Every structure is written in structure tokens, then in C-alpha cells.
């Protein structure tokens, strides 16, 4: 801190501001901040705890970086024997020196909350990969108990270490960086075996007949986790170097403004990008559902004003190409098939195959036999969603109902039920 330039904390502040802005935008697009309500639907205490602990860490990091940015730019640089260096903390006014400890304490609390988040992800993915056919509850597993114990340790030792070393500001910062970076680095290293084993886990799901949507969803999370782990290393390793060098009697790296600026800026980008990916994993957006909700809201408003609902309310877009327009275009492509010459009936053996009467022949018979009508999607009733009503119609199964349907199609004991109902590591 004492040897870094004001620009390093400015980078931290910019990255933290971008992260907070992305967090607000993502949660607004996700469910209009409904996930932040204490009594949000059927969410349990675990999801609320994980949501609030993760969202609290971002403002604390922003307060830490923005506070030191203001102080460092106010104090500026000094000339020491011909060398221009940032003004040491020992020469700061008393008010600025008193502000150092609260900012470091906020940073240590934010870091402990980050470790709680990453420990939960680590334990959850280990539980999911190793679950197999064992129908075990997450909250009764050893992985959940490990998370509880590790979270209690993380939320205790980080702020406590900062409080106990507050007499020496430089040592306080060095021990905070060292303790937090070693904890985060160990969690990141433990995460690498999961990345190695996850492709085999996905192949086993495919062999067991798990539906494609679930496999695609887990594959997307696997790719995000690989990117996130890389940026976690970019965040942790520079702070480990600075922390180890800071607790030694003679500092080599911390006395170089060049190396401290490079390491802290790299750590800032690693922290911001990995935290944004964690947000995407915890609160995954479904663009298809968002578009459907917007269309439903637009139809409800149109119905209230006496209008008629749009065609998308009744037919799914995937089935739109099999509508009457598509059928009429097929008739135009084959003008020989007309109503007087061909009468379509449906035999009991195959209700979806077009049958022709015995008197049809020639090209009329060939075209009529090759013409098939599509299978119609299932009926979807109107449902009440809180104070609104979700319009029904003809549509595919919802994602939740599709998961329940696929779960019944797979033999029992092959795949853990959580795989089919999986949406995010904190949604149970």
C-alpha cells in the first residue's frame, strides 16, 4: 500500500465499479431484484445466506478501493534523495492514518465472504460429481458440513487477523494479503481436480440418457468454471507474492513501485472477472424464459385493454413453421393436390400419417403419401404467478416439467435427482 501508486487503486476502483454495475444489471435482468427479497418464493435460508454474503462482498471491495484511491491521490508523491515515490503512510495526516484500518477491515471481511462463496462452490461440485446413484441429500452430506466448518473459520480468522495486527499498518496489510491469498489459492487448487473429472461426469450423464438440456446446462457451467479458475489464479498469486515479501524483514518486491503496480493491477482484473463469472453461475439467466415473460406481460396488457393476444401466446416459435401458413405453402408448391381430388383421412393405426382414398392415383397419390402432419404440442393451462396470470396455450413443457418428465424416463438409481433439477449451485 505504501509503495503503490495512486493509479493502482484507481484501477481497483474502476474494476469494482464495473463489477457492481454488472451485478445490478444482471440481477435486474434476472428477476427484477426478486432474488434479493427475504421472502422470495420457496427459497430457503441457505440460498438467502449465499445470496447476501456474495452481494455484500462487492460493495465492501468498492469501498476499500475507492477510499484508498482518494487518500493516495490526495497525498501524492514526494522526492526522497532524487527518487519520486508515493508518500509513505507514516507521513500521512492523522485523519488519513486512522482511515486505513477501517478500509483494511472492510477488505478482509469482503475477502472472507468471497472464500465462503468459493468454498460452497467447491463442496457443491464435489458433491454433484461424486453423487452417482447415491440418493443423498446435500444438507445431510459431509460436503455441506465441510462448508459450514470452513465458512465459520473463514469469517473468523480474516477479520481477527486484521484486528490483531492493526498496530503496524504495513504488517497489517501484509498479513491480510498473505492470509487471504493463501486461503483463496488453496480453494482454487482444490477446484482443479473437479475441472479434470467433469468431462467424464458429463459423458456418464449422456450414457445414462439424461436429457440434452441438462447436459448443455452443465457443460456451460463447466466452461465458465474453467475461465473463472484461471482468473482466480491471476488474483491470488500476485497477492501471495506481495504478502510473503511484506512479512519478511527486508522487502524486495514491495519497495519497487513497478512490481507492486503490476501485481496489484493484475489482481484487480482477476478479482473483477472471476467475481462476475461467479454471479453468472449463481444467477443463470434464461433468455428464452425472459422473452416468454415479456411476451406474456405484453399480452396481459393487450387483453386488459380489450385486444386479442398474439399468436405467440398459443403456439411456440419452434412449432410456428408447422402452422397453417407452412401447410398452405406446401400446397402451393404442389398445385396438383387440391381438395376435390384428394380427401385426407386418418386411419386408427397412425393418426399422424396422411391417407388417401383408393381412387387417387399417379402423382397425386405419391404427393399425398409423402405429406405428413406434425405432432401437435401439449396444451398448457393458465397459471397464477403471484399477482399476475401466466397465459396458457399450446406449448412445449416448461423446463421444470421437462426435467421431471425426463427424470421418470430414466431408471431409478442411475443419476442423482439433483442433476435433473439443477439450475445453480445455490438453488435447492
Amino acid at each position: 500500500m505504501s509503495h503503490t501508486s495512486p493509479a493502482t487503486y484507481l484501477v481497483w476502483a474502476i474494476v469494482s465499479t464495473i463489477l457492481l454495475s454488472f451485478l445490478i444489471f444482471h440481477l435486474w435482468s434476472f428477476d427484477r431484484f426478486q432474488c434479493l427479497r427475504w421472502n422470495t418464493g420457496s427459497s430457503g435460508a441457505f440460498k438467502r445466506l449465499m445470496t447476501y454474503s456474495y452481494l455484500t462482498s462487492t460493495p465492501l471491495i468498492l469501498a476499500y478501493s475507492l477510499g484508498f484511491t482518494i487518500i493516495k491521490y490526495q497525498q501524492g508523491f514526494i522526492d526522497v534523495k532524487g527518487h519520486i515515490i508515493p508518500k509513505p503512510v507514516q507521513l500521512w495526516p492523522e485523519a488519513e492514518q486512522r482511515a486505513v484500518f477501517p478500509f483494511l477491515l472492510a477488505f478482509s471481511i469482503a475477502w472472507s465472504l468471497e472464500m465462503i462463496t468459493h468454498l460452497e462452490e467447491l463442496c457443491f461440485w464435489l458433491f454433484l460429481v461424486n453423487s452417482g446413484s447415491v440418493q443423498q441429500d446435500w444438507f445431510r452430506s459431509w460436503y455441506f458440513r465441510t462448508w459450514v466448518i470452513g465458512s465459520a473459520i473463514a469469517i473468523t480468522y480474516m477479520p481477527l487477523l486484521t484486528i490483531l495486527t492493526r498496530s503496524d499498518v504495513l504488517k497489517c496489510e501484509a498479513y491480510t494479503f498473505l492470509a487471504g491469498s493463501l486461503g483463496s489459492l488453496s480453494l482454487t487448487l482444490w477446484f482443479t481436480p473437479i475441472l479434470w473429472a467433469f468431462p467424464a461426469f458429463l459423458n456418464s450423464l449422456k450414457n445414462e440418457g439424461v436429457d440434452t438440456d441438462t447436459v448443455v446446462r452443465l457443460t456451460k457451467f463447466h466452461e465458465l468454471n474453467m475461465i473463472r479458475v484461471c482468473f482466480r489464479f491471476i488474483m491470488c498469486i500476485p497477492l501471495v507474492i506481495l504478502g510473503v515479501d511484506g512479512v519478511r524483514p527486508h522487502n524486495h518486491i514491495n519497495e519497487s513501485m513497478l512490481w507492486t503496480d503490476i501485481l496489484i493491477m493484475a489482481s484487480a482484473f482477476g478479482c473483477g472477472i472471476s467475481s462476475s463469472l461467479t454471479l453468472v453461475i449463481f444467477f443463470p439467466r434464461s433468455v428464452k424464459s425472459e422473452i416468454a415473460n415479456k411476451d406474456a406481460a405484453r399480452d396481459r396488457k393487450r387483453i386488459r385493454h380489450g385486444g386479442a393476444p398474439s399468436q405467440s401466446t398459443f403456439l411456440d416459435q419452434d412449432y410456428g413453421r408447422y402452422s397453417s401458413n407452412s401447410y398452405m405453402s406446401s400446397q402451393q408448391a404442389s398445385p396438383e393436390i387440391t381438395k376435390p381430388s384428394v380427401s385426407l383421412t386418418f386411419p386408427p393405426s397412425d393418426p399422424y400419417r396422411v391417407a388417401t382414398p383408393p381412387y387417387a392415383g399417379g402423382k397425386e397419390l405419391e404427393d399425398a403419401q409423402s405429406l405428413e402432419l406434425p405432432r401437435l404440442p401439449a396444451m398448457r393451462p393458465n397459471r397464477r404467478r403471484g399477482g399476475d396470470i401466466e397465459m396458457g396455450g399450446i406449448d412445449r413443457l416448461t423446463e421444470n416439467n421437462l426435467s421431471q418428465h425426463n427424470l421418470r424416463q430414466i431408471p431409478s438409481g442411475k443419476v442423482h435427482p439433483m442433476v435433473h433439477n439443477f439450475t445453480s449451485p445455490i438453488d435447492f
Side-chain angles (χ1 to χ4, degrees), residues 193-242:
I194 301 177
L195 301 179
W196 182 265
F198 214 82
F201 173 68
L202 293 175
N203 290 331
S204 66
L205 296 182
K206 295 177 183 178
N207 296 332
E208 294 295 340
V210 176
D211 61 284
T212 305
D213 292 338
T214 301
V215 176
V216 169
R217 189 183 304 116
L218 290 172
T219 303
K220 180 184 70 174
F221 283 113
H222 173 58
E223 295 176 352
L224 291 177
N225 279 326
M226 288 193 298
I227 301 174
R228 189 177 63 88
V229 166
C230 293
F231 282 99
R232 290 299 299 174
F233 279 117
I234 295 176
M235 173 191 171
C236 297
I237 293 177
L239 296 182
V240 170
I241 296 174
L242 293 175

Short mmCIF file of all heavy atoms in Angstrom, two decimals, residues 193-242:
data_model
loop_
_atom_site.label_atom_id
_atom_site.label_comp_id
_atom_site.label_asym_id
_atom_site.label_seq_id
_atom_site.Cartn_x
_atom_site.Cartn_y
_atom_site.Cartn_z
N PRO A 193 -9.05 -30.47 -9.62
CA PRO A 193 -9.48 -31.85 -9.89
C PRO A 193 -10.91 -31.96 -10.39
O PRO A 193 -11.23 -32.87 -11.16
CB PRO A 193 -9.30 -32.55 -8.53
CG PRO A 193 -8.29 -31.75 -7.81
CD PRO A 193 -8.53 -30.34 -8.23
N ILE A 194 -11.78 -31.04 -9.98
CA ILE A 194 -13.16 -31.07 -10.47
C ILE A 194 -13.20 -30.77 -11.96
O ILE A 194 -13.92 -31.42 -12.72
CB ILE A 194 -14.02 -30.06 -9.69
CG1 ILE A 194 -14.01 -30.38 -8.19
CG2 ILE A 194 -15.45 -30.03 -10.23
CD1 ILE A 194 -14.78 -29.39 -7.36
N LEU A 195 -12.41 -29.79 -12.39
CA LEU A 195 -12.36 -29.48 -13.82
C LEU A 195 -11.83 -30.66 -14.62
O LEU A 195 -12.26 -30.89 -15.76
CB LEU A 195 -11.46 -28.25 -14.05
CG LEU A 195 -11.87 -26.96 -13.34
CD1 LEU A 195 -10.88 -25.86 -13.66
CD2 LEU A 195 -13.27 -26.55 -13.74
N TRP A 196 -10.93 -31.42 -14.03
CA TRP A 196 -10.37 -32.58 -14.71
C TRP A 196 -11.39 -33.72 -14.80
O TRP A 196 -11.46 -34.43 -15.81
CB TRP A 196 -9.11 -33.05 -13.98
CG TRP A 196 -8.43 -34.21 -14.62
CD1 TRP A 196 -8.58 -35.54 -14.33
CD2 TRP A 196 -7.48 -34.16 -15.69
NE1 TRP A 196 -7.80 -36.31 -15.13
CE2 TRP A 196 -7.09 -35.48 -15.98
CE3 TRP A 196 -6.91 -33.11 -16.42
CZ2 TRP A 196 -6.16 -35.79 -16.98
CZ3 TRP A 196 -5.99 -33.43 -17.41
CH2 TRP A 196 -5.63 -34.75 -17.68
N ALA A 197 -12.19 -33.90 -13.77
CA ALA A 197 -13.14 -35.02 -13.73
C ALA A 197 -14.49 -34.69 -14.36
O ALA A 197 -15.28 -35.61 -14.60
CB ALA A 197 -13.36 -35.45 -12.27
N PHE A 198 -14.77 -33.43 -14.62
CA PHE A 198 -16.10 -33.07 -15.09
C PHE A 198 -16.43 -33.60 -16.49
O PHE A 198 -17.58 -33.98 -16.74
CB PHE A 198 -16.28 -31.55 -15.06
CG PHE A 198 -17.68 -31.13 -14.72
CD1 PHE A 198 -18.11 -31.08 -13.40
CD2 PHE A 198 -18.58 -30.78 -15.72
CE1 PHE A 198 -19.39 -30.69 -13.08
CE2 PHE A 198 -19.87 -30.39 -15.41
CZ PHE A 198 -20.28 -30.36 -14.09
N PRO A 199 -15.50 -33.61 -17.47
CA PRO A 199 -15.86 -34.19 -18.77
C PRO A 199 -16.30 -35.65 -18.68
O PRO A 199 -17.26 -36.05 -19.37
CB PRO A 199 -14.57 -34.04 -19.58
CG PRO A 199 -13.88 -32.87 -18.98
CD PRO A 199 -14.18 -32.97 -17.51
N ALA A 200 -15.64 -36.44 -17.84
CA ALA A 200 -16.07 -37.83 -17.67
C ALA A 200 -17.44 -37.89 -17.02
O ALA A 200 -18.26 -38.77 -17.35
CB ALA A 200 -15.04 -38.58 -16.82
N PHE A 201 -17.72 -36.97 -16.12
CA PHE A 201 -19.04 -36.91 -15.49
C PHE A 201 -20.12 -36.59 -16.53
O PHE A 201 -21.21 -37.19 -16.53
CB PHE A 201 -19.02 -35.86 -14.38
CG PHE A 201 -20.36 -35.57 -13.77
CD1 PHE A 201 -21.02 -36.51 -13.01
CD2 PHE A 201 -20.97 -34.33 -13.96
CE1 PHE A 201 -22.25 -36.24 -12.44
CE2 PHE A 201 -22.20 -34.05 -13.41
CZ PHE A 201 -22.84 -35.01 -12.64
N LEU A 202 -19.84 -35.66 -17.43
CA LEU A 202 -20.80 -35.34 -18.48
C LEU A 202 -21.03 -36.52 -19.42
O LEU A 202 -22.16 -36.79 -19.85
CB LEU A 202 -20.31 -34.13 -19.27
CG LEU A 202 -20.27 -32.79 -18.53
CD1 LEU A 202 -19.65 -31.71 -19.40
CD2 LEU A 202 -21.66 -32.37 -18.08
N ASN A 203 -19.96 -37.26 -19.74
CA ASN A 203 -20.12 -38.44 -20.60
C ASN A 203 -20.97 -39.51 -19.93
O ASN A 203 -21.77 -40.19 -20.59
CB ASN A 203 -18.75 -39.01 -20.96
CG ASN A 203 -17.98 -38.10 -21.90
OD1 ASN A 203 -18.57 -37.36 -22.69
ND2 ASN A 203 -16.66 -38.14 -21.82
N SER A 204 -20.81 -39.65 -18.61
CA SER A 204 -21.64 -40.63 -17.91
C SER A 204 -23.11 -40.23 -17.92
O SER A 204 -23.99 -41.09 -18.02
CB SER A 204 -21.15 -40.79 -16.46
OG SER A 204 -21.35 -39.58 -15.73
N LEU A 205 -23.38 -38.93 -17.85
CA LEU A 205 -24.77 -38.48 -17.94
C LEU A 205 -25.36 -38.77 -19.31
O LEU A 205 -26.53 -39.17 -19.44
CB LEU A 205 -24.86 -36.99 -17.63
CG LEU A 205 -24.46 -36.54 -16.22
CD1 LEU A 205 -24.66 -35.04 -16.07
CD2 LEU A 205 -25.25 -37.29 -15.16
N LYS A 206 -24.56 -38.57 -20.36
CA LYS A 206 -25.05 -38.87 -21.70
C LYS A 206 -25.34 -40.36 -21.85
O LYS A 206 -26.34 -40.76 -22.46
CB LYS A 206 -24.01 -38.42 -22.73
CG LYS A 206 -23.78 -36.93 -22.78
CD LYS A 206 -22.69 -36.58 -23.79
CE LYS A 206 -22.39 -35.08 -23.78
NZ LYS A 206 -21.29 -34.74 -24.72
N ASN A 207 -24.46 -41.20 -21.30
CA ASN A 207 -24.67 -42.64 -21.40
C ASN A 207 -25.90 -43.10 -20.63
O ASN A 207 -26.52 -44.11 -20.99
CB ASN A 207 -23.43 -43.38 -20.90
CG ASN A 207 -22.20 -43.11 -21.76
OD1 ASN A 207 -22.33 -42.83 -22.96
ND2 ASN A 207 -21.03 -43.19 -21.16
N GLU A 208 -26.23 -42.40 -19.56
CA GLU A 208 -27.41 -42.76 -18.77
C GLU A 208 -28.70 -42.22 -19.36
O GLU A 208 -29.78 -42.47 -18.83
CB GLU A 208 -27.26 -42.24 -17.33
CG GLU A 208 -26.13 -42.90 -16.55
CD GLU A 208 -26.37 -44.37 -16.32
OE1 GLU A 208 -27.53 -44.81 -16.43
OE2 GLU A 208 -25.38 -45.10 -16.05
N GLY A 209 -28.61 -41.46 -20.44
CA GLY A 209 -29.81 -40.97 -21.10
C GLY A 209 -30.36 -39.69 -20.53
O GLY A 209 -31.56 -39.41 -20.70
N VAL A 210 -29.54 -38.89 -19.84
CA VAL A 210 -30.01 -37.61 -19.31
C VAL A 210 -30.34 -36.69 -20.48
O VAL A 210 -29.67 -36.71 -21.52
CB VAL A 210 -28.94 -36.99 -18.39
CG1 VAL A 210 -29.36 -35.62 -17.91
CG2 VAL A 210 -28.69 -37.91 -17.21
N ASP A 211 -31.37 -35.87 -20.33
CA ASP A 211 -31.83 -35.04 -21.43
C ASP A 211 -30.76 -34.05 -21.85
O ASP A 211 -29.88 -33.66 -21.07
CB ASP A 211 -33.11 -34.29 -21.04
CG ASP A 211 -32.87 -33.36 -19.86
OD1 ASP A 211 -32.79 -33.86 -18.73
OD2 ASP A 211 -32.77 -32.15 -20.08
N THR A 212 -30.84 -33.65 -23.11
CA THR A 212 -29.81 -32.80 -23.70
C THR A 212 -29.74 -31.43 -23.03
O THR A 212 -28.65 -30.87 -22.87
CB THR A 212 -30.09 -32.62 -25.21
OG1 THR A 212 -30.19 -33.92 -25.82
CG2 THR A 212 -28.98 -31.84 -25.88
N ASP A 213 -30.88 -30.87 -22.62
CA ASP A 213 -30.87 -29.55 -21.99
C ASP A 213 -30.05 -29.55 -20.71
O ASP A 213 -29.32 -28.60 -20.43
CB ASP A 213 -32.31 -29.10 -21.70
CG ASP A 213 -33.09 -28.82 -22.96
OD1 ASP A 213 -32.44 -28.56 -24.00
OD2 ASP A 213 -34.33 -28.85 -22.93
N THR A 214 -30.16 -30.61 -19.92
CA THR A 214 -29.38 -30.69 -18.69
C THR A 214 -27.90 -30.80 -18.98
O THR A 214 -27.07 -30.15 -18.33
CB THR A 214 -29.85 -31.89 -17.85
OG1 THR A 214 -31.24 -31.75 -17.54
CG2 THR A 214 -29.06 -31.99 -16.56
N VAL A 215 -27.54 -31.62 -19.96
CA VAL A 215 -26.13 -31.78 -20.32
C VAL A 215 -25.56 -30.46 -20.85
O VAL A 215 -24.43 -30.08 -20.51
CB VAL A 215 -25.96 -32.90 -21.35
CG1 VAL A 215 -24.51 -33.01 -21.80
CG2 VAL A 215 -26.43 -34.24 -20.77
N VAL A 216 -26.34 -29.76 -21.67
CA VAL A 216 -25.88 -28.46 -22.19
C VAL A 216 -25.70 -27.46 -21.06
O VAL A 216 -24.72 -26.70 -21.03
CB VAL A 216 -26.89 -27.94 -23.24
CG1 VAL A 216 -26.58 -26.49 -23.61
CG2 VAL A 216 -26.87 -28.82 -24.48
N ARG A 217 -26.63 -27.44 -20.10
CA ARG A 217 -26.53 -26.52 -18.99
C ARG A 217 -25.28 -26.79 -18.16
O ARG A 217 -24.54 -25.87 -17.79
CB ARG A 217 -27.78 -26.63 -18.12
CG ARG A 217 -27.88 -25.55 -17.04
CD ARG A 217 -29.10 -25.76 -16.18
NE ARG A 217 -30.33 -25.83 -16.95
CZ ARG A 217 -31.11 -26.89 -17.03
NH1 ARG A 217 -30.78 -27.99 -16.38
NH2 ARG A 217 -32.21 -26.86 -17.74
N LEU A 218 -25.01 -28.05 -17.85
CA LEU A 218 -23.82 -28.39 -17.07
C LEU A 218 -22.54 -28.13 -17.85
O LEU A 218 -21.52 -27.74 -17.27
CB LEU A 218 -23.89 -29.85 -16.64
CG LEU A 218 -24.96 -30.18 -15.59
CD1 LEU A 218 -25.06 -31.69 -15.39
CD2 LEU A 218 -24.65 -29.50 -14.27
N THR A 219 -22.57 -28.34 -19.16
CA THR A 219 -21.39 -28.05 -19.98
C THR A 219 -21.07 -26.57 -19.95
O THR A 219 -19.89 -26.16 -19.88
CB THR A 219 -21.63 -28.52 -21.42
OG1 THR A 219 -21.94 -29.93 -21.43
CG2 THR A 219 -20.41 -28.28 -22.29
N LYS A 220 -22.10 -25.73 -20.01
CA LYS A 220 -21.87 -24.29 -19.96
C LYS A 220 -21.25 -23.89 -18.62
O LYS A 220 -20.30 -23.09 -18.59
CB LYS A 220 -23.19 -23.55 -20.16
CG LYS A 220 -23.06 -22.05 -20.12
CD LYS A 220 -24.41 -21.36 -20.22
CE LYS A 220 -25.21 -21.58 -18.95
NZ LYS A 220 -26.48 -20.81 -18.96
N PHE A 221 -21.73 -24.46 -17.53
CA PHE A 221 -21.15 -24.14 -16.22
C PHE A 221 -19.71 -24.64 -16.12
O PHE A 221 -18.88 -24.00 -15.47
CB PHE A 221 -22.00 -24.74 -15.11
CG PHE A 221 -23.26 -23.96 -14.82
CD1 PHE A 221 -24.49 -24.50 -15.09
CD2 PHE A 221 -23.20 -22.69 -14.30
CE1 PHE A 221 -25.65 -23.79 -14.83
CE2 PHE A 221 -24.34 -21.96 -14.04
CZ PHE A 221 -25.57 -22.51 -14.31
N HIS A 222 -19.42 -25.77 -16.74
CA HIS A 222 -18.06 -26.29 -16.71
C HIS A 222 -17.10 -25.33 -17.43
O HIS A 222 -15.99 -25.05 -16.93
CB HIS A 222 -18.03 -27.67 -17.38
CG HIS A 222 -16.65 -28.23 -17.56
ND1 HIS A 222 -15.77 -28.43 -16.51
CD2 HIS A 222 -15.99 -28.62 -18.69
CE1 HIS A 222 -14.64 -28.93 -16.97
NE2 HIS A 222 -14.74 -29.04 -18.29
N GLU A 223 -17.51 -24.81 -18.57
CA GLU A 223 -16.66 -23.86 -19.29
C GLU A 223 -16.48 -22.57 -18.50
O GLU A 223 -15.38 -22.01 -18.45
CB GLU A 223 -17.27 -23.58 -20.66
CG GLU A 223 -17.29 -24.79 -21.58
CD GLU A 223 -17.97 -24.51 -22.90
OE1 GLU A 223 -18.57 -23.41 -23.02
OE2 GLU A 223 -17.94 -25.37 -23.79
N LEU A 224 -17.55 -22.09 -17.89
CA LEU A 224 -17.42 -20.88 -17.06
C LEU A 224 -16.50 -21.11 -15.88
O LEU A 224 -15.72 -20.22 -15.50
CB LEU A 224 -18.80 -20.44 -16.57
CG LEU A 224 -19.77 -19.90 -17.64
CD1 LEU A 224 -21.12 -19.58 -17.01
CD2 LEU A 224 -19.20 -18.66 -18.30
N ASN A 225 -16.56 -22.30 -15.28
CA ASN A 225 -15.68 -22.60 -14.14
C ASN A 225 -14.22 -22.65 -14.56
O ASN A 225 -13.34 -22.23 -13.79
CB ASN A 225 -16.09 -23.93 -13.50
CG ASN A 225 -17.27 -23.79 -12.56
OD1 ASN A 225 -17.41 -22.77 -11.89
ND2 ASN A 225 -18.13 -24.78 -12.51
N MET A 226 -13.94 -23.16 -15.75
CA MET A 226 -12.55 -23.18 -16.22
C MET A 226 -12.00 -21.77 -16.37
O MET A 226 -10.87 -21.48 -15.96
CB MET A 226 -12.46 -23.95 -17.54
CG MET A 226 -12.64 -25.46 -17.42
SD MET A 226 -12.17 -26.35 -18.92
CE MET A 226 -13.34 -25.66 -20.09
N ILE A 227 -12.80 -20.88 -16.96
CA ILE A 227 -12.35 -19.49 -17.10
C ILE A 227 -12.22 -18.83 -15.74
O ILE A 227 -11.25 -18.10 -15.47
CB ILE A 227 -13.33 -18.72 -18.00
CG1 ILE A 227 -13.44 -19.39 -19.38
CG2 ILE A 227 -12.90 -17.26 -18.15
CD1 ILE A 227 -14.50 -18.78 -20.27
N ARG A 228 -13.16 -19.10 -14.86
CA ARG A 228 -13.15 -18.46 -13.54
C ARG A 228 -11.95 -18.90 -12.72
O ARG A 228 -11.32 -18.09 -12.03
CB ARG A 228 -14.45 -18.80 -12.79
CG ARG A 228 -14.65 -18.02 -11.51
CD ARG A 228 -15.98 -18.38 -10.90
NE ARG A 228 -16.03 -19.77 -10.53
CZ ARG A 228 -15.63 -20.24 -9.34
NH1 ARG A 228 -15.18 -19.40 -8.43
NH2 ARG A 228 -15.70 -21.52 -9.06
N VAL A 229 -11.59 -20.18 -12.80
CA VAL A 229 -10.44 -20.68 -12.04
C VAL A 229 -9.15 -20.03 -12.55
O VAL A 229 -8.25 -19.69 -11.75
CB VAL A 229 -10.38 -22.22 -12.14
CG1 VAL A 229 -9.04 -22.75 -11.66
CG2 VAL A 229 -11.49 -22.84 -11.31
N CYS A 230 -9.04 -19.84 -13.85
CA CYS A 230 -7.84 -19.18 -14.39
C CYS A 230 -7.69 -17.77 -13.82
O CYS A 230 -6.58 -17.35 -13.42
CB CYS A 230 -7.91 -19.13 -15.91
SG CYS A 230 -7.80 -20.75 -16.72
N PHE A 231 -8.78 -17.02 -13.77
CA PHE A 231 -8.70 -15.66 -13.23
C PHE A 231 -8.57 -15.65 -11.71
O PHE A 231 -8.08 -14.67 -11.15
CB PHE A 231 -9.92 -14.86 -13.67
CG PHE A 231 -9.83 -14.37 -15.08
CD1 PHE A 231 -10.46 -15.05 -16.12
CD2 PHE A 231 -9.08 -13.24 -15.39
CE1 PHE A 231 -10.37 -14.60 -17.42
CE2 PHE A 231 -8.99 -12.78 -16.70
CZ PHE A 231 -9.63 -13.47 -17.72
N ARG A 232 -9.00 -16.72 -11.05
CA ARG A 232 -8.75 -16.81 -9.61
C ARG A 232 -7.25 -16.94 -9.34
O ARG A 232 -6.72 -16.37 -8.39
CB ARG A 232 -9.49 -17.99 -9.01
CG ARG A 232 -10.99 -17.85 -8.96
CD ARG A 232 -11.44 -16.69 -8.11
NE ARG A 232 -11.03 -16.80 -6.73
CZ ARG A 232 -11.21 -15.86 -5.82
NH1 ARG A 232 -11.78 -14.73 -6.15
NH2 ARG A 232 -10.81 -16.04 -4.58
N PHE A 233 -6.55 -17.70 -10.18
CA PHE A 233 -5.10 -17.79 -10.05
C PHE A 233 -4.46 -16.43 -10.31
O PHE A 233 -3.49 -16.05 -9.63
CB PHE A 233 -4.54 -18.82 -11.03
CG PHE A 233 -4.66 -20.24 -10.54
CD1 PHE A 233 -5.43 -21.16 -11.23
CD2 PHE A 233 -4.00 -20.66 -9.40
CE1 PHE A 233 -5.55 -22.47 -10.80
CE2 PHE A 233 -4.09 -21.97 -8.96
CZ PHE A 233 -4.88 -22.88 -9.65
N ILE A 234 -4.97 -15.70 -11.30
CA ILE A 234 -4.42 -14.37 -11.59
C ILE A 234 -4.63 -13.42 -10.41
O ILE A 234 -3.81 -12.53 -10.17
CB ILE A 234 -5.07 -13.81 -12.87
CG1 ILE A 234 -4.69 -14.67 -14.07
CG2 ILE A 234 -4.67 -12.35 -13.11
CD1 ILE A 234 -5.35 -14.25 -15.37
N MET A 235 -5.68 -13.63 -9.67
CA MET A 235 -5.92 -12.79 -8.49
C MET A 235 -5.04 -13.21 -7.30
O MET A 235 -4.45 -12.36 -6.62
CB MET A 235 -7.39 -12.85 -8.08
CG MET A 235 -7.67 -12.13 -6.77
SD MET A 235 -9.32 -12.46 -6.11
CE MET A 235 -9.16 -11.71 -4.48
N CYS A 236 -4.95 -14.49 -7.04
CA CYS A 236 -4.33 -14.97 -5.80
C CYS A 236 -2.81 -14.91 -5.83
O CYS A 236 -2.17 -14.48 -4.86
CB CYS A 236 -4.78 -16.41 -5.52
SG CYS A 236 -6.55 -16.59 -5.24
N ILE A 237 -2.21 -15.34 -6.94
CA ILE A 237 -0.75 -15.47 -6.98
C ILE A 237 -0.05 -14.12 -6.77
O ILE A 237 0.92 -14.05 -5.98
CB ILE A 237 -0.31 -16.14 -8.30
CG1 ILE A 237 -0.80 -17.60 -8.33
CG2 ILE A 237 1.21 -16.08 -8.46
CD1 ILE A 237 -0.48 -18.32 -9.61
N PRO A 238 -0.46 -13.01 -7.40
CA PRO A 238 0.22 -11.74 -7.11
C PRO A 238 0.10 -11.31 -5.65
O PRO A 238 1.08 -10.78 -5.08
CB PRO A 238 -0.50 -10.74 -8.03
CG PRO A 238 -1.02 -11.57 -9.14
CD PRO A 238 -1.42 -12.86 -8.51
N LEU A 239 -1.05 -11.56 -5.03
CA LEU A 239 -1.20 -11.16 -3.63
C LEU A 239 -0.40 -12.07 -2.70
O LEU A 239 0.06 -11.63 -1.64
CB LEU A 239 -2.68 -11.18 -3.25
CG LEU A 239 -3.56 -10.16 -4.00
CD1 LEU A 239 -4.99 -10.23 -3.51
CD2 LEU A 239 -3.01 -8.76 -3.86
N VAL A 240 -0.21 -13.33 -3.07
CA VAL A 240 0.67 -14.21 -2.30
C VAL A 240 2.10 -13.68 -2.34
O VAL A 240 2.80 -13.63 -1.31
CB VAL A 240 0.60 -15.65 -2.83
CG1 VAL A 240 1.70 -16.50 -2.20
CG2 VAL A 240 -0.75 -16.27 -2.53
N ILE A 241 2.54 -13.26 -3.52
CA ILE A 241 3.90 -12.72 -3.65
C ILE A 241 4.08 -11.46 -2.81
O ILE A 241 5.08 -11.33 -2.07
CB ILE A 241 4.20 -12.44 -5.14
CG1 ILE A 241 4.18 -13.75 -5.94
CG2 ILE A 241 5.55 -11.75 -5.29
CD1 ILE A 241 4.32 -13.55 -7.44
N LEU A 242 3.13 -10.56 -2.89
CA LEU A 242 3.23 -9.33 -2.09
C LEU A 242 3.13 -9.61 -0.60
O LEU A 242 3.82 -8.98 0.20
CB LEU A 242 2.13 -8.35 -2.52
CG LEU A 242 2.24 -7.78 -3.94
CD1 LEU A 242 1.01 -6.93 -4.26
CD2 LEU A 242 3.51 -6.95 -4.07
#
